[in-house]
Amino acid sequence: MNTDPDDGWSLVVPLKPLARAKSRLAAAAGARSRRRLALAFALDTVAAALECPRVRDVAVVTDDPEAAAALAALGARIVPDSPAAGLNAALAHGARAVREGRPGARVAALNADLPALRPAELERVLRAAGKYPRAFLADAAEIGTTFLSAGPGVELAPAFGGASRRRHSSTGAVEIRLTGVDSVRRDVDTGEDLAAALALGVGPRTAAHWDRAAG
């Protein structure tokens, strides 16, 4: 994690209450395991992000007390989801919270469901993002978005959900086109997504919970 107060990225990671998270995984993992996997995804995502040399800090926007406690123990800052108005409102709120203390911060939204995230791959994405006022990375399906960045003094203006790749492009954000950053693009919503993430190699918490659920 970058500790230079004048450098590094602040990442904003949104996490809905675990009781409602990853509902499409229930068919593959079961209702009880789905909740635990959602938390494991977030923990592995944040842990990997904090290991990235270009990341100064991670702010998780959530109102789930269990998730907040576990993620704070990793070193994340917890920002209550006071807008309670959905994903994009939570991300904009998180970015504002970061910049209240560091007005010139470079901020980036990152999905909470990237259990295979590799710090070195995230570093490459952040390096590329730093060249543009706003930039984004498409998900593995090339329909959605897993990452959106904004440089100093630039509003994040998130438009996540559904076909967000097209929406982010239409708002002037530059698409980051890199090979070899599959772990930053592999979000998990379905059993098929989880299988693809497992093939890449997931973090220890996801691996442990999946082994338990599968067993």
Side-chain angles (χ1 to χ4, degrees):
M1 179 172 62
N2 190 316
T3 56
D4 184 340
D6 298 319
D7 195 18
W9 289 83
S10 291
L11 303 188
V12 180
V13 176
L15 181 63
K16 66 173 62 174
L18 296 176
R20 303 201 312 268
K22 297 299 158 195
S23 58
R24 292 165 64 193
L25 268 182
R32 186 175 301 177
S33 293
R34 170 199 57 76
R35 185 178 186 278
R36 304 308 306 168
L37 279 169
L39 178 56
F41 294 168
L43 289 168
D44 282 335
T45 299
V46 170
L50 287 169
E51 291 177 11
C52 177
R54 289 181 180 263
V55 172
R56 183 180 186 273
D57 49 27
V58 176
V60 178
V61 183
T62 188
D63 276 338
D64 189 286
E66 179 185 1
L71 289 159
L74 288 180
R77 172 188 177 184
I78 305 302
V79 178
D81 184 9
S82 55
L87 174 59
N88 291 307
L91 286 168
H93 173 63
R96 286 193 298 269
V98 166
R99 286 176 168 169
E100 283 175 2
R102 203 161 63 99
R106 293 179 290 174
V107 298
L110 185 71
N111 284 15
D113 58 350
L114 302 171
L117 184 64
R118 303 285 192 271
E121 294 183 14
L122 177 59
E123 183 177 15
R124 290 185 62 213
V125 172
L126 291 170
R127 188 183 304 120
K131 300 175 183 177
Y132 309 104
R134 290 174 68 241
F136 71 95
L137 186 72
D139 63 10
E142 299 190 344
I143 296 171
T145 307
T146 59
F147 170 95
L148 173 71
S149 67
V154 180
E155 290 297 319
L156 187 61
F160 284 80
S164 60
R165 178 189 187 187
R166 175 177 50 79
R167 286 198 301 276
H168 284 135
S169 181
S170 71
T171 64
V174 175
E175 182 169 359
I176 297 168
R177 297 181 182 274
L178 292 173
T179 59
V181 293
D182 294 349
S183 75
V184 196
R185 301 182 65 197
R186 174 42 66 195
D187 56 343
V188 176
D189 289 314
T190 66
E192 291 79 8
D193 295 339
L194 179 55
L198 290 166
L200 284 176
V202 296
R205 299 159 189 86
T206 301
H209 281 294
W210 179 245
D211 286 346
R212 199 172 305 150

